[in-house]
Amino acid sequence: MEVDNNVSAYLQAQQRQAPPAVAQHFAEFEGLYERKVWHQLTKAVEAFINIPEAAPYRVGVYNEFVRDWQKHMNKVKLVLFALAAARQLDSIPEAAAFMEKIAEEVNQPDSQEAYALAVLESAHFKLLLNDLDSTREALEKCQGMIESFAQVDPVIHASFYRVCADYYKAKAAYGQYYKNALLLLACIDVQELGIADRVQRAYDLAIAALLSDTIYNFGDLLSHPITEA
C-alpha cells in the first residue's frame, strides 16, 4: 500500500493548525502511517479519540484518515472509531444513518461481531428518536448473533446491555431495566463513566428497584460501587 498524499496532507495540516497537545498526536499518526504499522496506529488513534480534546477532530480523523487504512484494522475497533465520529454529528438522524452505513460495510462473514456492534449503536440513536420498534428488532437480532459467537468482545456485551437498559427504561419496564443496567455495569469500569453518567445510572437503578414489582432484595445495588456516585 502506497502512502496516500491526501492523507499525509491532512495530517500535516492538523499538525500546523491544532494546539500543540493535539498536534503531537497527528505527528505520531503520520510517523506510524508512513511505516505502515497498523496495530500500533490503531492503538494510537484509539488513545486519541478517547481524550476530550479530540472531540472537534473525531469526524475528520475518521473520514480523512481512518477510512484510508481501515482494511488493515480490527473491525470492532473500526466501528468504535466510527461511533466516536457519529457522536459528533449535528443531528441524531444523521448519526443513526451513519452507523447504519457502517453496519452495512462491516457485514462480512469474518466481521460479524463488528456488524452486531454497529447495529446496536445504530439502534441506540434510533431509540433517542423514540423508534422503539426498530430498537426492539435490532436487540432481538443481535441477541441471537451474540449467543452464536464462540467469544464476545466485552465492548459488544456492554453495548447490548446498555441499549437493552435504555430500551426498557423508555418502556418503563423497571425490572428489565434493573437487570440489564446491572449487567452493563458488570461489563465496564464504572470509574470510566463521567460523574454525571454515574449519578444518572445510580438514580435510575434506585428508582427501578423501588418501582419494580419483581425486585424484593436491593443487596446487589447497595453493594455496587455505582451507589458511591
Side-chain angles (χ1 to χ4, degrees):
M1 171 183 163
E2 296 296 327
V3 172
D4 190 311
N5 290 332
N6 292 329
V7 171
S8 295
Y10 166 75
L11 295 174
Q12 290 166 12
Q14 299 309 309
Q15 291 174 58
R16 293 191 300 271
Q17 299 166 10
V22 173
Q24 67 183 14
H25 289 278
F26 285 98
E28 180 185 13
F29 294 164
E30 185 177 21
L32 295 172
Y33 177 72
E34 290 177 349
R35 290 161 50 203
K36 305 176 185 178
V37 283
W38 311 121
H39 178 68
Q40 292 94 319
L41 186 53
T42 300
K43 291 177 70 68
V45 172
E46 182 178 27
F48 174 66
I49 66 169
N50 286 320
I51 62 174
E53 295 83 358
Y57 304 92
R58 287 170 184 152
V59 175
V61 165
Y62 183 80
N63 288 328
E64 305 298 330
F65 182 46
V66 169
R67 290 191 69 87
D68 178 77
W69 50 279
Q70 64 182 33
K71 67 180 180 181
H72 298 288
M73 76 172 68
N74 176 287
K75 295 304 180 289
V76 169
K77 298 293 187 185
L78 175 64
V79 172
L80 292 174
F81 294 167
L83 176 60
R87 288 172 173 162
Q88 303 300 133
L89 296 176
D90 293 333
S91 71
I92 296 173
E94 186 180 3
F98 182 83
M99 290 309 300
E100 277 192 327
K101 182 179 179 183
I102 299 301
E104 292 172 5
E105 290 181 7
V106 298
N107 187 12
Q108 302 296 330
D110 61 346
S111 56
Q112 286 298 287
E113 279 196 344
Y115 174 61
L117 179 60
V119 170
L120 286 167
E121 294 302 340
S122 177
H124 160 76
F125 289 116
K126 291 177 182 176
L127 183 58
L128 295 178
L129 297 169
N130 204 36
D131 187 349
L132 298 180
D133 289 341
S134 293
T135 303
R136 176 179 49 77
E137 291 170 5
L139 287 170
E140 290 174 350
K141 176 180 182 178
C142 291
Q143 182 176 13
M145 294 177 64
I146 291 170
E147 289 173 352
S148 72
F149 296 151
Q151 291 184 316
V152 182
D153 190 312
V155 73
I156 298 172
H157 269 143
S159 178
F160 177 76
Y161 293 131
R162 174 169 45 82
V163 178
C164 274
D166 291 346
Y167 171 77
Y168 288 120
K169 178 180 176 180
K171 296 280 287 184
Y174 304 111
Q176 288 288 73
Y177 169 82
Y178 183 86
K179 171 186 173 182
N180 283 279
L182 284 179
L183 287 169
L184 164 64
L185 295 177
C187 295
I188 63 175
D189 180 352
V190 173
Q191 297 306 314
E192 291 182 359
L193 296 175
I195 183 60
D197 289 339
R198 276 180 273 161
V199 170
Q200 186 65 56
R201 189 66 70 182
Y203 174 84
D204 289 342
L205 277 162
I207 293 297
L210 291 170
L211 295 181
S212 172
D213 57 5
T214 61
I215 299 171
Y216 306 104
N217 187 324
F218 304 149
D220 288 343
L221 176 58
L222 294 175
S223 64
H224 199 284
I226 194 71
T227 58
E228 296 172 9

